[in-house]
Amino acid sequence: MKLLLGMLRPTAGEVMLDGSRINTLPASAWAGVGHVIEHPLAYSDLTTRQNLLLAARLRMLPADTAAAAVATAIDELGLTAYAEVRARRLSAGNRQRVGLASALQHRPRVIVLDEPTSTLDPAGVLLLRDALHARAVEGAAILVSSHHLDEVARIADRITLLNAGRVVGPLDPTAGDLERTFFDRILTDDQQREAR
Amino acid sequence: MSTLAPAIATEARKAVTSRVLRWTTGLLITAVLALVAGILAAKNLDEPQLTAKLGPFVELEGWPALLGVAAQITAAGVMPALGIGLSWIIGREFAEGTITGLFALPVPRQGIALAKLVIYAAWVLAVAILLTAALLILGLVLGYGAPDAHEWGALARHIPLTVLVALTAVPAAWAATLGRGLLPGIATTIGLLVIAQVMAFTDAGAWFPLVTPALWAIDPAAVSGAQLALVPSIPLAFGALTLAAWHRLQLDR
């Protein structure tokens, strides 16, 4: 995920976005990408609305549409009651909702989310699921990392298993008892790596 | 320029709402005023150790004494506070984890770093003006009366003095970037202060840009225009290094 977003440079291979290497992309191309990696973009001194307006500005959203996009995102992620609350007073789950809203509000075509549900409450998980489903229907490419296989199975078209930084293989999201299959595959991979 | 405008607007919003910068500004001005007032009061005690530290200012009274003492305190004491503020402006992104949100944006990272330096300059100018106004009020409260033309000049000189001192703290921005946090910037600020204090005792001190503002503060006639003109070399060089570091930044540690 960090390679895709330019946070790390590859030691081998290359990362392409819309057919162009990301290190030669014009900066404007990033306006179509939304992401949350490790920490949400939520400054503690700013309110939810101010944080989202700041993120909209950094995504070069025109001023006349930014306020409306922020209002829609606040509604979509269930943040209406916290719209004028500073981030330092929000719970970890609500800060994560602010980060997710800032990653989704500009209708990106590529969405990258690292463990987006790890701090979310059940209501937040359902809101995120609906939001991602709507973006996927609109044609966005969405890459989500998660340890919650049940959750992943509900939203993913494709699942790729990773272990120790390497791809183990695909996992069929429609197959039964995903959790057990997941553990078996990872355990087998661990044993094979130790045997080498 | 089109991507610099949103970068400056967002950094300005962050600075204006920042409790850290507001408190730093308030505490800095209060501390300088308290020190100046305290030294002016202690000056009349004829304490030999204090007299030795005050140097030429011990012979002065009224506005010249106040402005002389204030200049000396600003030259030595304001730089660390401003350097710590700059370390926070840069280092908070790493400390709070928001740096990941500043990648993959249509606003380039070096533009965000430049905006941070612009906001630092604006904050420093605001501190300089507020500090100078506070010194004017202190002098009036102490009963020195309205400053004459020469004293107004010395008072106004406090603004460029504060700005010059602040320019020498810009290496803290580079250190906070390389060290990925506030503490490397703060440590660098303290290191710069120590180097400046040591270099001030050498004959070539006025040619060393870290020291020039302090020497200019004590005696403007002792520092040439050419020596003062060298001071911006520090923010230019270390500002460029900071932008390059943000451009090349990787979250690999």
Side-chain angles (χ1 to χ4, degrees):
Chain A
M1 286 178 156
K2 285 184 172 176
L3 287 167
L4 174 61
L5 296 164
M7 297 175 191
L8 291 174
R9 280 186 288 280
T11 51
E14 53 192 16
V15 183
M16 314 282 280
L17 186 65
D18 277 345
S20 301
R21 287 192 192 90
I22 60 163
N23 56 341
T24 60
L25 275 182
S28 58
W30 291 109
V33 176
H35 69 279
V36 180
I37 302 289
E38 293 173 1
H39 294 278
L41 187 66
Y43 292 98
S44 52
D45 291 318
L46 299 183
T47 66
T48 295
R49 192 182 305 279
Q50 288 170 335
N51 266 306
L52 293 179
L53 283 169
L54 180 145
R57 199 84 204 260
L58 289 175
R59 299 280 183 191
M60 304 293 282
L61 225 56
D64 54 341
T65 57
V70 166
T72 304
I74 285 174
D75 183 50
E76 186 175 33
L77 271 299
L79 288 164
T80 306
Y82 307 102
E84 312 308 330
V85 177
R86 293 187 198 284
R88 84 163 66 88
R89 296 179 59 89
L90 295 178
S91 66
N94 282 327
R95 282 175 82 108
Q96 178 71 352
R97 287 195 197 195
V98 174
L100 291 167
S102 78
L104 299 174
Q105 63 182 353
H106 55 291
R107 318 307 278 193
R109 291 176 301 108
V110 176
I111 298 167
V112 182
L113 303 177
D114 176 26
E115 299 274 4
T117 59
S118 60
T119 57
L120 288 182
D121 58 337
V125 173
L126 293 176
L127 288 169
L128 175 64
R129 189 191 297 168
D130 291 344
L132 291 184
H133 183 70
R135 298 303 189 285
V137 168
E138 290 168 8
I142 304 172
L143 178 63
V144 174
S145 74
S146 180
H147 285 90
H148 301 142
L149 273 197
D150 272 0
E151 187 50 43
V152 169
R154 286 173 203 278
I155 58 171
D157 298 314
R158 282 186 292 169
I159 302 175
T160 300
L161 287 183
L162 289 168
N163 189 33
R166 293 189 176 278
V167 172
V168 174
L171 192 67
D172 180 1
T174 61
D177 207 353
L178 274 182
E179 201 80 20
R180 182 171 179 176
T181 313
F182 166 64
F183 277 103
D184 286 347
R185 296 271 299 275
I186 296 297
L187 197 60
T188 306
D189 184 63
D190 281 341
Q191 289 165 344
Q192 285 174 346
R193 280 189 302 110
E194 278 173 20
R196 273 182 227 132
Chain B
M1 283 300 286
S2 62
T3 58
L4 189 57
I8 289 177
T10 54
E11 288 303 320
R13 164 64 73 181
K14 282 150 69 174
V16 166
T17 55
S18 154
R19 290 204 299 193
V20 170
L21 291 185
R22 266 205 305 271
W23 274 92
T24 305
T25 305
L27 288 173
L28 175 62
I29 291 170
T30 306
V32 171
L33 288 190
L35 269 172
V36 170
I39 289 174
L40 288 177
K43 192 167 71 72
N44 300 322
L45 297 177
D46 285 336
E47 171 62 39
Q49 281 189 335
L50 182 68
T51 307
K53 278 196 183 304
L54 283 174
F57 302 120
V58 77
E59 305 295 332
L60 302 174
E61 293 293 336
W63 282 107
L66 181 147
L67 294 172
V69 170
Q72 211 170 17
I73 290 171
T74 298
V78 168
M79 194 279 263
L82 297 176
I84 288 168
L86 178 57
S87 300
W88 181 81
I89 289 172
I90 299 278
R92 69 173 301 194
E93 308 290 357
F94 300 96
E96 297 173 20
T98 44
I99 188 68
T100 57
L102 301 182
F103 278 80
L105 293 175
V107 176
R109 273 187 315 287
Q110 64 270 30
I112 293 171
L114 178 59
K116 285 179 178 294
L117 294 176
V118 169
I119 293 305
Y120 171 66
W123 175 56
V124 161
L125 192 59
V127 169
I129 292 169
L130 287 173
L131 182 57
T132 305
L135 289 171
L136 174 63
I137 292 167
L138 178 66
L140 294 175
V141 168
L142 291 176
Y144 296 161
D148 64 23
H150 181 71
E151 290 157 356
W152 272 116
L155 188 64
R157 199 164 58 85
H158 213 81
I159 295 175
L161 169 65
T162 309
V163 172
L164 278 176
V165 165
L167 293 182
T168 64
V170 171
W174 188 47
T177 306
L178 294 184
R180 312 279 196 269
L182 283 77
L183 287 180
I186 293 171
T188 300
T189 304
I190 294 168
L192 290 169
L193 184 68
V194 171
I195 293 169
Q197 294 286 314
V198 171
M199 289 301 291
F201 292 106
T202 68
D203 290 339
W207 284 106
F208 192 59
L210 276 179
V211 188
T212 317
L215 296 178
W216 188 61
I218 295 166
D219 182 8
V223 176
S224 69
Q227 288 165 333
L228 272 180
L230 280 180
V231 176
S233 65
I234 293 179
L236 286 175
F238 285 91
L241 286 170
T242 304
L243 299 198
W246 274 67
H247 178 62
R248 300 276 307 160
L249 193 63
Q250 285 196 85
L251 300 185
D252 52 356
R253 53 191 161 93

